[in-house]
Amino acid sequence: MTALDRRTVLRAALGMSALAVGGAPVLAACADDDRGRMDPRRAAQPQREDEVSPESTVPTSVAPNDPTLITGSFRSVKMAGRDTRWVVARPPGVTGLLPVVLVLHALNTDERTAFDSSLQMHRYLAQSVAAGTAPFALAAPDTGRNYYHPRLDGADSAAMIIDEFLPMLTSDTSLGLRTDRIGLYGWSMGGYGALRIGAILGPQRVAAIAASSPALWGDPRTFPPRAFDSPQDYQANSMFGAQNAFAKIPLLIDIGASDQFYLYTRQWMAGLHPPAAFTTAPGGHNNRFWRSVLPDQLAFLGRNLAA
């Protein structure tokens, strides 16, 4: 551990609610924010900055079989000198070197959201591994509101992940991770980020990508300032026109039928050859839908990391 890297081992002490062992998740008693729910016919309208709607966290007692969470931080040059926090989760009872899935968070959330009552990814991972999925670890960095590409303020969270975070995960041997071939998972802003980073790294490094409700804008006239700084920035970093990068990367996309990004996501997927795995179901742009598809996404990532 370097002087710039501060780490703490936690027993899931981020305020999480329990999952039923070997069964369906017991959802936290917190309401989804309906601001994120939108009829798909409105997908061409500009999105407001508050339309990603994280739930509140309800602290509960720690379950005895929770995976261990390791947290830390480092000073990131690629994030303009910002102190960047991270969380790593390993499935319980698994030793040895593990492949890793990078977890990329949504707007107005941070590296902890994947493991609090919003998504509880570490507990879904534990259940998936117990059910036979090849084990892997989860690693989530805090990327702020950067949107995973270079911004006018000098920060670039995609470069931070590729040039700083991934090398740190490998060099810290106490974490027991290998990053020669990784998986990517993200939701909303992080879904876009998973696609963009996957396109940069290519099939030599990326075993698979699972994205929930990726924040994709197909019309350069309607993107919000939070996502791109200018029309030129949009043209340089939009995923539209970049579909060929995924020809050899297994890709799973899940999105609710009433999600505001539904139409743009389907338009983007029409340019994929071969087509991606895709599921949709009733649901909006919220944690309830994202939790509902996590078991299949984790199984998909595990299968491809083990291939």
Side-chain angles (χ1 to χ4, degrees):
M1 181 173 63
T2 70
L4 297 180
D5 175 33
R6 299 186 296 278
R7 298 194 295 117
T8 305
V9 178
L10 305 178
R11 285 297 299 172
L14 294 178
M16 292 141 237
S17 59
L19 291 178
V21 176
V26 179
L27 301 183
C30 47
D32 290 299
D33 189 335
D34 287 338
R35 289 177 301 170
R37 301 180 183 180
M38 183 179 295
D39 188 289
R41 290 171 296 182
R42 294 177 56 199
Q45 299 297 320
Q47 310 301 319
R48 300 194 314 272
E49 287 198 59
D50 61 356
E51 283 183 337
V52 171
S53 52
E55 294 173 344
S56 59
T57 297
V58 179
T60 63
S61 59
V62 176
N65 295 321
D66 275 345
T68 298
L69 302 180
I70 304 169
T71 71
S73 66
F74 63 95
R75 188 78 64 181
S76 170
V77 173
K78 300 296 184 180
M79 292 295 283
R82 176 176 172 227
D83 199 39
T84 298
R85 301 182 307 270
W86 52 267
V87 178
V88 167
R90 292 175 60 99
V94 177
T95 60
L97 207 59
L98 287 179
V100 66
V101 169
L102 295 182
V103 177
L104 308 183
H105 66 78
L107 188 72
N108 299 329
T109 67
D110 59 29
E111 82 288 354
R112 298 166 295 182
T113 308
F115 308 107
D116 67 20
S117 64
S118 301
L119 294 185
Q120 306 181 65
M121 283 191 71
H122 60 307
R123 288 178 171 159
Y124 284 97
L125 175 64
Q127 287 192 347
S128 187
V129 170
T133 298
F136 57 90
L138 303 172
D142 179 21
T143 60
R145 297 167 58 88
N146 176 261
Y147 249 90
Y148 302 97
H149 63 87
R151 306 307 297 267
L152 289 177
D153 63 3
D156 181 351
S157 59
M160 176 271 288
I161 289 167
I162 294 169
D163 297 336
E164 297 175 326
F165 187 55
L166 279 172
M168 186 215 75
L169 293 177
T170 305
S171 63
D172 188 344
T173 56
S174 68
L175 296 174
L177 304 178
R178 45 182 286 257
T179 62
D180 54 320
R181 229 171 135 258
I182 65 169
L184 288 161
Y185 167 83
W187 74 101
S188 193
M189 179 184 78
Y192 160 84
L195 295 174
R196 184 170 184 273
I197 291 172
I200 293 170
L201 293 177
Q204 295 79 18
R205 289 287 304 277
V206 179
I209 302 170
S212 282
S213 312
L216 299 172
W217 282 272
D219 187 340
R221 299 167 298 179
T222 63
F223 67 83
R226 72 178 183 273
F228 303 100
D229 293 315
S230 66
Q232 294 75 24
D233 188 30
Y234 172 88
Q235 293 296 338
N237 295 295
S238 171
M239 297 313 299
F240 281 84
Q243 288 94 327
N244 288 343
F246 303 93
K248 296 182 179 180
I249 300 176
L251 178 59
L252 170 62
I253 294 181
D254 298 282
I255 190 165
S258 58
D259 193 291
Q260 65 253 39
F261 293 109
Y262 181 87
L263 290 184
Y264 283 151
T265 297
R266 295 307 304 266
Q267 290 168 10
W268 183 80
M269 291 180 63
L272 293 172
H273 303 288
F278 173 75
T279 67
T280 188
H285 200 75
N286 53 53
N287 295 325
R288 181 175 298 154
F289 177 81
W290 299 328
R291 283 192 302 261
S292 74
V293 295
L294 267 176
D296 287 341
Q297 291 173 327
L298 292 171
F300 171 83
L301 291 165
R303 284 194 304 271
N304 284 285
L305 280 167

